[in-house]
Amino acid sequence: MSPVFPLEIFYDGSCRICSAEMASYRKRNHEGRLLFIDISAPEFDPAVIGKGREELMKVLHVRDAAGQFHLGIDAFISIWESFPPGSAPRLLSVLVGFPGINLLARGGYHLFARNRHLLPRKASDCRDGSCRMS
């Protein structure tokens, strides 16, 4: 099911890889089809969208304009579909739609999502040598 734009992207801003990925999308978001919400920010209230912070931290969540949530790889596919036809992200959305590639992408993302807390956090989230774990 194709998403209805704009998309709200609920991402972990304390994760270096997640932040870098969102920064690359932000630079190419010329039509304003993507809205970025950092769920690690202290002012973010997950109750507003009816989800818990712990649930949101497990996998990438995207909510489209129709209120439909897309999770994990489906969230990425939704994001990539927001880019113009013929662009690299749009082609990636098609490629990841193929069954074998989709299965590999889901498995790879699942491993990343489960273990990303082991990766170094952003320096701003570290104090006295210990980093905040989400």
Side-chain angles (χ1 to χ4, degrees):
M1 175 185 219
S2 293
V4 180
F5 301 104
L7 304 177
E8 294 175 304
I9 303 171
F10 299 93
Y11 74 99
D12 179 5
S14 68
C15 168
R16 283 181 183 216
I17 293 172
C18 307
S19 291
E21 184 82 5
M22 293 307 125
S24 74
Y25 297 148
R26 197 177 269 120
K27 287 178 189 173
R28 294 152 65 199
N29 185 27
H30 302 295
E31 293 181 24
R33 298 179 100 182
L34 304 174
L35 309 169
F36 300 89
I37 298 130
D38 179 358
I39 61 173
S40 71
E43 64 274 6
F44 173 71
D45 180 9
V48 172
I49 62 166
K51 303 260 182 185
R53 189 177 304 269
E54 186 174 314
E55 179 183 0
L56 290 168
M57 284 288 189
K58 286 183 181 176
V59 296
L60 180 67
H61 284 62
V62 167
R63 181 170 63 178
D64 69 20
Q68 177 73 34
F69 277 95
H70 306 266
L71 309 178
I73 286 299
D74 294 327
F76 280 103
I77 292 171
S78 296
I79 292 167
W80 299 332
E81 287 177 351
S82 76
F83 292 96
S87 66
R90 188 65 166 269
L91 294 174
L92 191 55
S93 75
V94 173
L95 184 64
V96 173
F98 290 116
I101 296 171
N102 187 277
L103 184 62
L104 287 172
R106 287 181 189 284
Y109 180 75
H110 178 74
L111 283 173
F112 168 77
R114 279 189 70 149
N115 296 296
R116 70 185 173 83
H117 69 279
L118 300 172
L119 300 171
R121 309 304 264 176
K122 289 173 59 178
S124 62
D125 292 327
C126 298
R127 291 167 188 75
D128 300 325
S130 64
C131 295
R132 182 177 85 214
M133 300 303 281
S134 303

